[in-house]
mmCIF file of all heavy atoms in Angstrom:
data_model
loop_
_atom_site.group_PDB
_atom_site.id
_atom_site.type_symbol
_atom_site.label_atom_id
_atom_site.label_comp_id
_atom_site.label_asym_id
_atom_site.label_seq_id
_atom_site.Cartn_x
_atom_site.Cartn_y
_atom_site.Cartn_z
ATOM 1 N N ARG A 51 181.565 148.369 -48.903
ATOM 2 C CA ARG A 51 182.214 147.259 -48.329
ATOM 3 C C ARG A 51 181.680 145.895 -48.844
ATOM 4 O O ARG A 51 182.447 144.937 -49.147
ATOM 5 C CB ARG A 51 182.037 147.312 -46.804
ATOM 6 C CG ARG A 51 183.068 146.559 -46.017
ATOM 7 C CD ARG A 51 182.662 146.657 -44.527
ATOM 8 N NE ARG A 51 183.220 145.477 -43.917
ATOM 9 C CZ ARG A 51 184.374 145.346 -43.261
ATOM 10 N NH1 ARG A 51 185.053 146.273 -43.151
ATOM 11 N NH2 ARG A 51 184.620 144.188 -42.738
ATOM 12 N N GLU A 55 183.270 142.610 -51.061
ATOM 13 C CA GLU A 55 183.131 141.233 -50.578
ATOM 14 C C GLU A 55 182.760 140.447 -51.762
ATOM 15 O O GLU A 55 183.171 139.256 -52.011
ATOM 16 C CB GLU A 55 182.267 141.159 -49.436
ATOM 17 C CG GLU A 55 182.779 141.703 -48.169
ATOM 18 C CD GLU A 55 181.892 141.302 -46.957
ATOM 19 O OE1 GLU A 55 180.870 140.698 -47.123
ATOM 20 O OE2 GLU A 55 182.336 141.739 -45.784
ATOM 21 N N ARG A 60 191.244 139.414 -55.945
ATOM 22 C CA ARG A 60 192.425 138.872 -55.131
ATOM 23 C C ARG A 60 193.749 139.496 -55.557
ATOM 24 O O ARG A 60 193.746 140.276 -56.511
ATOM 25 C CB ARG A 60 192.444 137.406 -55.338
ATOM 26 C CG ARG A 60 191.330 136.569 -54.726
ATOM 27 C CD ARG A 60 191.699 135.165 -54.544
ATOM 28 N NE ARG A 60 191.930 134.499 -55.907
ATOM 29 C CZ ARG A 60 191.068 133.892 -56.670
ATOM 30 N NH1 ARG A 60 189.794 133.766 -56.229
ATOM 31 N NH2 ARG A 60 191.391 133.333 -57.827
ATOM 32 N N THR A 237 169.692 147.483 -47.626
ATOM 33 C CA THR A 237 168.871 148.537 -46.867
ATOM 34 C C THR A 237 167.472 148.641 -47.463
ATOM 35 O O THR A 237 167.095 149.642 -47.872
ATOM 36 C CB THR A 237 169.646 149.895 -46.857
ATOM 37 O OG1 THR A 237 171.010 149.512 -46.701
ATOM 38 C CG2 THR A 237 169.175 150.736 -45.783
ATOM 39 N N GLY A 238 166.798 147.485 -47.604
ATOM 40 C CA GLY A 238 165.416 147.457 -48.068
ATOM 41 C C GLY A 238 165.309 147.811 -49.479
ATOM 42 O O GLY A 238 164.201 148.285 -49.877
ATOM 43 N N ARG A 245 175.249 141.938 -60.098
ATOM 44 C CA ARG A 245 176.607 141.239 -60.510
ATOM 45 C C ARG A 245 176.296 140.417 -61.701
ATOM 46 O O ARG A 245 175.337 139.624 -61.799
ATOM 47 C CB ARG A 245 177.004 140.419 -59.292
ATOM 48 C CG ARG A 245 178.391 139.655 -59.662
ATOM 49 C CD ARG A 245 179.015 139.104 -58.486
ATOM 50 N NE ARG A 245 178.242 137.917 -57.995
ATOM 51 C CZ ARG A 245 178.708 137.093 -56.953
ATOM 52 N NH1 ARG A 245 179.812 137.389 -56.405
ATOM 53 N NH2 ARG A 245 177.946 136.228 -56.496
ATOM 54 N N ASP B 8 169.894 140.724 -46.425
ATOM 55 C CA ASP B 8 170.097 142.172 -46.440
ATOM 56 C C ASP B 8 171.380 142.367 -45.706
ATOM 57 O O ASP B 8 171.486 142.334 -44.553
ATOM 58 C CB ASP B 8 168.964 143.007 -45.851
ATOM 59 C CG ASP B 8 169.162 144.489 -46.285
ATOM 60 O OD1 ASP B 8 170.302 144.903 -46.311
ATOM 61 O OD2 ASP B 8 168.109 145.209 -46.492
ATOM 62 N N THR B 10 173.281 144.909 -45.008
ATOM 63 C CA THR B 10 173.694 146.136 -44.335
ATOM 64 C C THR B 10 174.184 145.893 -42.855
ATOM 65 O O THR B 10 175.188 146.400 -42.473
ATOM 66 C CB THR B 10 172.595 147.114 -44.391
ATOM 67 O OG1 THR B 10 172.013 147.144 -45.775
ATOM 68 C CG2 THR B 10 173.063 148.551 -44.114
ATOM 69 N N GLN B 20 185.804 144.423 -36.869
ATOM 70 C CA GLN B 20 187.245 144.384 -37.525
ATOM 71 C C GLN B 20 187.991 145.585 -37.080
ATOM 72 O O GLN B 20 189.173 145.417 -36.606
ATOM 73 C CB GLN B 20 186.994 144.539 -38.988
ATOM 74 C CG GLN B 20 188.354 144.538 -39.751
ATOM 75 C CD GLN B 20 188.110 144.544 -41.231
ATOM 76 O OE1 GLN B 20 187.332 143.830 -41.838
ATOM 77 N NE2 GLN B 20 188.732 145.553 -41.909
ATOM 78 N N LEU B 66 187.284 140.947 -41.574
ATOM 79 C CA LEU B 66 186.136 140.085 -41.323
ATOM 80 C C LEU B 66 185.098 140.309 -42.455
ATOM 81 O O LEU B 66 184.796 141.424 -42.848
ATOM 82 C CB LEU B 66 185.481 140.498 -40.030
ATOM 83 C CG LEU B 66 186.220 140.520 -38.766
ATOM 84 C CD1 LEU B 66 185.449 140.850 -37.589
ATOM 85 C CD2 LEU B 66 186.999 139.209 -38.541
ATOM 86 N N SER B 68 181.439 139.284 -44.548
ATOM 87 C CA SER B 68 180.085 138.550 -44.291
ATOM 88 C C SER B 68 179.808 137.580 -45.516
ATOM 89 O O SER B 68 179.210 136.570 -45.303
ATOM 90 C CB SER B 68 179.033 139.682 -44.286
ATOM 91 O OG SER B 68 178.985 140.303 -45.693
ATOM 92 N N GLU B 71 183.420 133.938 -51.106
ATOM 93 C CA GLU B 71 182.974 132.807 -52.061
ATOM 94 C C GLU B 71 184.174 131.935 -52.385
ATOM 95 O O GLU B 71 183.897 130.899 -53.183
ATOM 96 C CB GLU B 71 182.307 133.426 -53.242
ATOM 97 C CG GLU B 71 180.980 134.035 -52.819
ATOM 98 C CD GLU B 71 180.295 134.867 -53.981
ATOM 99 O OE1 GLU B 71 181.045 135.676 -54.568
ATOM 100 O OE2 GLU B 71 179.108 134.720 -54.196
#
Side-chain angles (χ1 to χ4, degrees):
Chain A
R51 198 183 151 100
E55 290 190 356
R60 290 199 299 268
T237 322
R245 180 168 68 172
Chain B
D8 191 326
T10 317
Q20 177 182 311
L66 309 186
S68 64
E71 293 172 313

